[in-house]
């Protein structure tokens, strides 16, 4: 059986996906029982040179040609951002095509609407590549850990900020230079605000927490602070005290069912399992009531790592299509939960108060906390 794929977007992840499908075509065919063939690619810049081997005759600037092609079974949305990606995905689903995406912002903000549309259309919709790049997280939560009550997930979910913090920790690198380096390596978002101010991490936490706790999570309901305020001094003092600074995503469900969600820089003891996750690597530590702690680690950004997840989703959809089971995951029932208010979080904080070294400033730090 031949499964035809239409790709929307030929950037870092689009090129990675084309390359992995080309290089591992025989392996993928053997494992899925289908030949996965890219038959159309639409991109805003069809004439741009690409770093991968791709049949130029497949590439055009025409999204409609992909959405309207009755021979395309699966659309891979690899554009990113909310619009027009949301419109394209909904139209592909309405046309009876299964959809695979790596678009975290889209899933975090409109995942519920899209899952309902897929269920109505009786097709598959998968998004493993949207969180943690190549690290399997969505499938383990939905399948391997399904028998657990997940009580906590804690992770480093943004490659760019982890790269920046690592370089700052390892030796005086300048924030802007490291950010530029991360952008040139294809890790950072076009708008660095999404990474540096923690928005990208809130999208990913919203997706994971939504699956882990079985409740729709809006990224806006997540308390958020990025890494702009972290300076060389903070990193140095943290080291002296035996800690490292990481941008942490935390989701926790208390006994009473209340859920706490936050993204912010945190001091991790140097021996903590997440403290040695460096560079562009991501990691998630989950706790399930049956399994205990489970940890996932790998490349959370970049073309081929993310393509690894996209291709896995394409293979799963192809398998479903082959045995007439498309749409099997649809119509999940989701409960409403109570979200803990930011003011109700109980946690330890480290506060650094810069004070000029003068006698009259003695005790100034105490005055900062006077009510
Ligand atoms: N900008 C993101 C990161 C890309 O740095 O992790 C992967 O989502």
């Amino acid at each position: 059986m031949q499964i035809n794929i239409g790709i929307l977007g030929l950037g870092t992840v689009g090129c990675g996906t084309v390359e992995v499908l080309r290089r591992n075509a025989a392996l993928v065919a053997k494992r899925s029982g289908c030949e996965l063939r890219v038959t159309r690619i639409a991109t805003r810049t069809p004439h741009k040179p690409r770093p991968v081997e791709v049949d130029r005759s497949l590439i055009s600037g025409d999204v409609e040609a992909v959405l309207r092609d009755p021979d395309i079974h699966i659309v891979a949305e690899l554009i990113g951002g909310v619009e027009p990606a949301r419109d394209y995905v909904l139209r592909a689903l309405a046309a009876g095509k299964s959809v695979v995406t790596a678009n975290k912002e889209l899933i975090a903000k409109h995942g519920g609407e899209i899952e309902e549309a897929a269920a109505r259309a009786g097709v598959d919709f998968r998004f493993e590549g949207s969180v943690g790049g190549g690290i399997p997280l969505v499938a383990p939560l939905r399948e391997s850990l399904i028998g657990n009550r997940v009580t906590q997930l804690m992770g480093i979910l943004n490659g760019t900020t982890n790269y920046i913090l690592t370089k700052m920790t390892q030796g005086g690198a300048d924030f802007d230079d490291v950010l530029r380096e991360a952008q040139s390596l294809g890790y950072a978002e076009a708008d660095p605000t999404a990474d540096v101010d923690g928005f990208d991490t809130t999208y990913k936490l919203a997706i994971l927490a939504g699956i882990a706790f079985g409740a729709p999570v809006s990224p806006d309901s997540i308390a958020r602070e990025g890494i702009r305020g972290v300076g060389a001094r903070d990193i140095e003092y943290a080291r002296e005290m035996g800690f490292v600074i990481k941008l942490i995503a935390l989701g926790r469900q208390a006994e009473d069912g209340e859920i706490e969600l936050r993204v912010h820089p945190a001091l991790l003891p140097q021996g903590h399992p997440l403290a040695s996750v460096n560079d562009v690597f991501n990691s998630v530590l989950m706790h399930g009531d049956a399994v205990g702690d489970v940890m996932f680690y790998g490349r959370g950004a970049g073309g081929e790592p993310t393509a690894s997840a996209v291709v896995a989703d394409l293979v799963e959809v192809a398998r479903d299509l082959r045995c007439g089971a498309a749409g099997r995951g649809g119509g999940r029932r989701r409960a409403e939960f109570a979200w803990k208010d930011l003011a109700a979080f109980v946690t330890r904080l480290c506060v650094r108060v810069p004070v000029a070294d003068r006698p009259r400033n003695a005790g100034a730090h105490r005055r900062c906390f006077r009510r």
Side-chain angles (χ1 to χ4, degrees), residues 104 157-161 187-189 195 200 204 282 300-301:
K104 61 235 149 177
L157 292 174
N158 183 266
T160 302
T161 45
Y187 302 145
E189 301 300 309
D195 293 308
D200 179 83
K204 293 165 178 169
N282 285 192

mmCIF file with all atom_site columns, all heavy atoms in Angstrom, residues 104 157-161 187-189 195 200 204 282 300-301, ligand 1:
data_model
loop_
_atom_site.group_PDB
_atom_site.id
_atom_site.type_symbol
_atom_site.label_atom_id
_atom_site.label_alt_id
_atom_site.label_comp_id
_atom_site.label_asym_id
_atom_site.label_entity_id
_atom_site.label_seq_id
_atom_site.pdbx_PDB_ins_code
_atom_site.Cartn_x
_atom_site.Cartn_y
_atom_site.Cartn_z
_atom_site.occupancy
_atom_site.B_iso_or_equiv
_atom_site.pdbx_formal_charge
_atom_site.auth_seq_id
_atom_site.auth_comp_id
_atom_site.auth_asym_id
_atom_site.auth_atom_id
_atom_site.pdbx_PDB_model_num
ATOM   1   N N   . LYS A 1 104 ? 3.748  23.337 18.505 1.00 0.00 ? 104 LYS A N   1
ATOM   2   C CA  . LYS A 1 104 ? 3.338  23.381 19.926 1.00 0.00 ? 104 LYS A CA  1
ATOM   3   C C   . LYS A 1 104 ? 2.353  24.500 20.240 1.00 0.00 ? 104 LYS A C   1
ATOM   4   O O   . LYS A 1 104 ? 1.423  24.334 21.014 1.00 0.00 ? 104 LYS A O   1
ATOM   5   C CB  . LYS A 1 104 ? 4.562  23.499 20.830 1.00 0.00 ? 104 LYS A CB  1
ATOM   6   C CG  . LYS A 1 104 ? 5.375  24.768 20.592 1.00 0.00 ? 104 LYS A CG  1
ATOM   7   C CD  . LYS A 1 104 ? 6.785  24.459 20.309 1.00 0.00 ? 104 LYS A CD  1
ATOM   8   C CE  . LYS A 1 104 ? 7.374  25.500 19.384 1.00 0.00 ? 104 LYS A CE  1
ATOM   9   N NZ  . LYS A 1 104 ? 8.770  25.302 19.131 1.00 0.00 ? 104 LYS A NZ  1
ATOM   10  N N   . LEU A 1 157 ? 12.271 22.027 28.959 1.00 0.00 ? 157 LEU A N   1
ATOM   11  C CA  . LEU A 1 157 ? 11.540 21.804 27.705 1.00 0.00 ? 157 LEU A CA  1
ATOM   12  C C   . LEU A 1 157 ? 11.922 22.775 26.604 1.00 0.00 ? 157 LEU A C   1
ATOM   13  O O   . LEU A 1 157 ? 11.295 22.779 25.550 1.00 0.00 ? 157 LEU A O   1
ATOM   14  C CB  . LEU A 1 157 ? 10.030 21.905 27.962 1.00 0.00 ? 157 LEU A CB  1
ATOM   15  C CG  . LEU A 1 157 ? 9.420  20.798 28.822 1.00 0.00 ? 157 LEU A CG  1
ATOM   16  C CD1 . LEU A 1 157 ? 7.961  21.090 29.134 1.00 0.00 ? 157 LEU A CD1 1
ATOM   17  C CD2 . LEU A 1 157 ? 9.535  19.461 28.102 1.00 0.00 ? 157 LEU A CD2 1
ATOM   18  N N   . ASN A 1 158 ? 12.912 23.620 26.862 1.00 0.00 ? 158 ASN A N   1
ATOM   19  C CA  . ASN A 1 158 ? 13.310 24.555 25.808 1.00 0.00 ? 158 ASN A CA  1
ATOM   20  C C   . ASN A 1 158 ? 14.819 24.460 25.572 1.00 0.00 ? 158 ASN A C   1
ATOM   21  O O   . ASN A 1 158 ? 15.618 24.734 26.469 1.00 0.00 ? 158 ASN A O   1
ATOM   22  C CB  . ASN A 1 158 ? 12.908 25.988 26.200 1.00 0.00 ? 158 ASN A CB  1
ATOM   23  C CG  . ASN A 1 158 ? 13.249 26.983 25.100 1.00 0.00 ? 158 ASN A CG  1
ATOM   24  O OD1 . ASN A 1 158 ? 14.311 27.583 25.119 1.00 0.00 ? 158 ASN A OD1 1
ATOM   25  N ND2 . ASN A 1 158 ? 12.372 27.116 24.130 1.00 0.00 ? 158 ASN A ND2 1
ATOM   26  N N   . GLY A 1 159 ? 15.176 24.065 24.353 1.00 0.00 ? 159 GLY A N   1
ATOM   27  C CA  . GLY A 1 159 ? 16.586 23.861 24.018 1.00 0.00 ? 159 GLY A CA  1
ATOM   28  C C   . GLY A 1 159 ? 17.372 25.163 24.017 1.00 0.00 ? 159 GLY A C   1
ATOM   29  O O   . GLY A 1 159 ? 18.511 25.206 24.488 1.00 0.00 ? 159 GLY A O   1
ATOM   30  N N   . THR A 1 160 ? 16.764 26.216 23.497 1.00 0.00 ? 160 THR A N   1
ATOM   31  C CA  . THR A 1 160 ? 17.482 27.485 23.364 1.00 0.00 ? 160 THR A CA  1
ATOM   32  C C   . THR A 1 160 ? 17.890 28.054 24.721 1.00 0.00 ? 160 THR A C   1
ATOM   33  O O   . THR A 1 160 ? 19.044 28.420 24.931 1.00 0.00 ? 160 THR A O   1
ATOM   34  C CB  . THR A 1 160 ? 16.589 28.499 22.617 1.00 0.00 ? 160 THR A CB  1
ATOM   35  O OG1 . THR A 1 160 ? 16.269 27.923 21.355 1.00 0.00 ? 160 THR A OG1 1
ATOM   36  C CG2 . THR A 1 160 ? 17.280 29.823 22.422 1.00 0.00 ? 160 THR A CG2 1
ATOM   37  N N   . THR A 1 161 ? 16.943 28.116 25.662 1.00 0.00 ? 161 THR A N   1
ATOM   38  C CA  . THR A 1 161 ? 17.279 28.686 26.969 1.00 0.00 ? 161 THR A CA  1
ATOM   39  C C   . THR A 1 161 ? 18.224 27.765 27.727 1.00 0.00 ? 161 THR A C   1
ATOM   40  O O   . THR A 1 161 ? 19.094 28.234 28.459 1.00 0.00 ? 161 THR A O   1
ATOM   41  C CB  . THR A 1 161 ? 16.008 28.931 27.807 1.00 0.00 ? 161 THR A CB  1
ATOM   42  O OG1 . THR A 1 161 ? 15.165 27.794 27.718 1.00 0.00 ? 161 THR A OG1 1
ATOM   43  C CG2 . THR A 1 161 ? 15.273 30.162 27.342 1.00 0.00 ? 161 THR A CG2 1
ATOM   44  N N   . TYR A 1 187 ? 17.867 26.167 16.458 1.00 0.00 ? 187 TYR A N   1
ATOM   45  C CA  . TYR A 1 187 ? 17.155 25.794 17.681 1.00 0.00 ? 187 TYR A CA  1
ATOM   46  C C   . TYR A 1 187 ? 16.129 26.854 18.077 1.00 0.00 ? 187 TYR A C   1
ATOM   47  O O   . TYR A 1 187 ? 15.025 26.547 18.490 1.00 0.00 ? 187 TYR A O   1
ATOM   48  C CB  . TYR A 1 187 ? 18.126 25.637 18.864 1.00 0.00 ? 187 TYR A CB  1
ATOM   49  C CG  . TYR A 1 187 ? 19.219 24.617 18.661 1.00 0.00 ? 187 TYR A CG  1
ATOM   50  C CD1 . TYR A 1 187 ? 20.490 24.823 19.180 1.00 0.00 ? 187 TYR A CD1 1
ATOM   51  C CD2 . TYR A 1 187 ? 18.970 23.444 17.959 1.00 0.00 ? 187 TYR A CD2 1
ATOM   52  C CE1 . TYR A 1 187 ? 21.494 23.890 18.992 1.00 0.00 ? 187 TYR A CE1 1
ATOM   53  C CE2 . TYR A 1 187 ? 19.975 22.515 17.781 1.00 0.00 ? 187 TYR A CE2 1
ATOM   54  C CZ  . TYR A 1 187 ? 21.229 22.734 18.295 1.00 0.00 ? 187 TYR A CZ  1
ATOM   55  O OH  . TYR A 1 187 ? 22.223 21.820 18.122 1.00 0.00 ? 187 TYR A OH  1
ATOM   56  N N   . ALA A 1 188 ? 16.564 28.108 17.986 1.00 0.00 ? 188 ALA A N   1
ATOM   57  C CA  . ALA A 1 188 ? 15.738 29.195 18.526 1.00 0.00 ? 188 ALA A CA  1
ATOM   58  C C   . ALA A 1 188 ? 14.581 29.527 17.592 1.00 0.00 ? 188 ALA A C   1
ATOM   59  O O   . ALA A 1 188 ? 14.646 29.295 16.385 1.00 0.00 ? 188 ALA A O   1
ATOM   60  C CB  . ALA A 1 188 ? 16.600 30.418 18.735 1.00 0.00 ? 188 ALA A CB  1
ATOM   61  N N   . GLU A 1 189 ? 13.521 30.059 18.178 1.00 0.00 ? 189 GLU A N   1
ATOM   62  C CA  . GLU A 1 189 ? 12.397 30.549 17.385 1.00 0.00 ? 189 GLU A CA  1
ATOM   63  C C   . GLU A 1 189 ? 12.832 31.828 16.679 1.00 0.00 ? 189 GLU A C   1
ATOM   64  O O   . GLU A 1 189 ? 13.751 32.516 17.138 1.00 0.00 ? 189 GLU A O   1
ATOM   65  C CB  . GLU A 1 189 ? 11.206 30.854 18.294 1.00 0.00 ? 189 GLU A CB  1
ATOM   66  C CG  . GLU A 1 189 ? 10.718 29.673 19.097 1.00 0.00 ? 189 GLU A CG  1
ATOM   67  C CD  . GLU A 1 189 ? 10.273 28.513 18.220 1.00 0.00 ? 189 GLU A CD  1
ATOM   68  O OE1 . GLU A 1 189 ? 9.464  28.728 17.306 1.00 0.00 ? 189 GLU A OE1 1
ATOM   69  O OE2 . GLU A 1 189 ? 10.733 27.389 18.447 1.00 0.00 ? 189 GLU A OE2 1
ATOM   70  N N   . ASP A 1 195 ? 11.196 31.910 23.222 1.00 0.00 ? 195 ASP A N   1
ATOM   71  C CA  . ASP A 1 195 ? 12.095 31.043 23.990 1.00 0.00 ? 195 ASP A CA  1
ATOM   72  C C   . ASP A 1 195 ? 12.488 31.702 25.307 1.00 0.00 ? 195 ASP A C   1
ATOM   73  O O   . ASP A 1 195 ? 12.280 31.143 26.382 1.00 0.00 ? 195 ASP A O   1
ATOM   74  C CB  . ASP A 1 195 ? 13.381 30.771 23.178 1.00 0.00 ? 195 ASP A CB  1
ATOM   75  C CG  . ASP A 1 195 ? 13.130 29.941 21.941 1.00 0.00 ? 195 ASP A CG  1
ATOM   76  O OD1 . ASP A 1 195 ? 12.511 28.878 22.061 1.00 0.00 ? 195 ASP A OD1 1
ATOM   77  O OD2 . ASP A 1 195 ? 13.558 30.359 20.846 1.00 0.00 ? 195 ASP A OD2 1
ATOM   78  N N   . ASP A 1 200 ? 7.422  29.490 24.938 1.00 0.00 ? 200 ASP A N   1
ATOM   79  C CA  . ASP A 1 200 ? 7.573  28.183 24.294 1.00 0.00 ? 200 ASP A CA  1
ATOM   80  C C   . ASP A 1 200 ? 7.446  27.058 25.336 1.00 0.00 ? 200 ASP A C   1
ATOM   81  O O   . ASP A 1 200 ? 6.788  26.040 25.104 1.00 0.00 ? 200 ASP A O   1
ATOM   82  C CB  . ASP A 1 200 ? 8.953  28.143 23.607 1.00 0.00 ? 200 ASP A CB  1
ATOM   83  C CG  . ASP A 1 200 ? 9.241  26.841 22.918 1.00 0.00 ? 200 ASP A CG  1
ATOM   84  O OD1 . ASP A 1 200 ? 8.792  26.664 21.783 1.00 0.00 ? 200 ASP A OD1 1
ATOM   85  O OD2 . ASP A 1 200 ? 9.911  25.981 23.533 1.00 0.00 ? 200 ASP A OD2 1
ATOM   86  N N   . LYS A 1 204 ? 4.563  23.904 25.786 1.00 0.00 ? 204 LYS A N   1
ATOM   87  C CA  . LYS A 1 204 ? 4.892  22.482 25.907 1.00 0.00 ? 204 LYS A CA  1
ATOM   88  C C   . LYS A 1 204 ? 4.349  21.904 27.219 1.00 0.00 ? 204 LYS A C   1
ATOM   89  O O   . LYS A 1 204 ? 3.857  20.781 27.248 1.00 0.00 ? 204 LYS A O   1
ATOM   90  C CB  . LYS A 1 204 ? 6.403  22.299 25.799 1.00 0.00 ? 204 LYS A CB  1
ATOM   91  C CG  . LYS A 1 204 ? 6.916  22.643 24.393 1.00 0.00 ? 204 LYS A CG  1
ATOM   92  C CD  . LYS A 1 204 ? 8.408  22.816 24.378 1.00 0.00 ? 204 LYS A CD  1
ATOM   93  C CE  . LYS A 1 204 ? 8.930  23.107 22.978 1.00 0.00 ? 204 LYS A CE  1
ATOM   94  N NZ  . LYS A 1 204 ? 10.341 23.523 22.982 1.00 0.00 ? 204 LYS A NZ  1
ATOM   95  N N   . ASN A 1 282 ? 16.835 18.392 26.220 1.00 0.00 ? 282 ASN A N   1
ATOM   96  C CA  . ASN A 1 282 ? 15.636 18.533 27.059 1.00 0.00 ? 282 ASN A CA  1
ATOM   97  C C   . ASN A 1 282 ? 15.515 17.268 27.892 1.00 0.00 ? 282 ASN A C   1
ATOM   98  O O   . ASN A 1 282 ? 16.079 16.219 27.534 1.00 0.00 ? 282 ASN A O   1
ATOM   99  C CB  . ASN A 1 282 ? 14.366 18.621 26.212 1.00 0.00 ? 282 ASN A CB  1
ATOM   100 C CG  . ASN A 1 282 ? 14.155 19.954 25.510 1.00 0.00 ? 282 ASN A CG  1
ATOM   101 O OD1 . ASN A 1 282 ? 13.097 20.219 24.984 1.00 0.00 ? 282 ASN A OD1 1
ATOM   102 N ND2 . ASN A 1 282 ? 15.167 20.810 25.480 1.00 0.00 ? 282 ASN A ND2 1
ATOM   103 N N   . GLY A 1 300 ? 15.790 18.200 22.195 1.00 0.00 ? 300 GLY A N   1
ATOM   104 C CA  . GLY A 1 300 ? 14.460 18.800 22.207 1.00 0.00 ? 300 GLY A CA  1
ATOM   105 C C   . GLY A 1 300 ? 14.203 19.764 21.078 1.00 0.00 ? 300 GLY A C   1
ATOM   106 O O   . GLY A 1 300 ? 13.133 20.363 21.002 1.00 0.00 ? 300 GLY A O   1
ATOM   107 N N   . ALA A 1 301 ? 15.166 19.946 20.205 1.00 0.00 ? 301 ALA A N   1
ATOM   108 C CA  . ALA A 1 301 ? 14.987 20.886 19.099 1.00 0.00 ? 301 ALA A CA  1
ATOM   109 C C   . ALA A 1 301 ? 15.904 20.450 17.970 1.00 0.00 ? 301 ALA A C   1
ATOM   110 O O   . ALA A 1 301 ? 16.758 19.589 18.139 1.00 0.00 ? 301 ALA A O   1
ATOM   111 C CB  . ALA A 1 301 ? 15.338 22.297 19.561 1.00 0.00 ? 301 ALA A CB  1
HETATM 112 N N1  . LIG B 2 .   ? 12.754 26.933 20.100 1.00 0.00 ? 1   LIG B N1  1
HETATM 113 C C1  . LIG B 2 .   ? 12.469 25.647 20.587 1.00 0.00 ? 1   LIG B C1  1
HETATM 114 C C2  . LIG B 2 .   ? 13.542 25.258 21.586 1.00 0.00 ? 1   LIG B C2  1
HETATM 115 C C3  . LIG B 2 .   ? 12.421 24.673 19.438 1.00 0.00 ? 1   LIG B C3  1
HETATM 116 O O1  . LIG B 2 .   ? 14.559 25.950 21.663 1.00 0.00 ? 1   LIG B O1  1
HETATM 117 O O2  . LIG B 2 .   ? 13.364 24.296 22.323 1.00 0.00 ? 1   LIG B O2  1
HETATM 118 C C4  . LIG B 2 .   ? 11.790 23.367 19.743 1.00 0.00 ? 1   LIG B C4  1
HETATM 119 O O3  . LIG B 2 .   ? 10.470 23.512 20.152 1.00 0.00 ? 1   LIG B O3  1
#
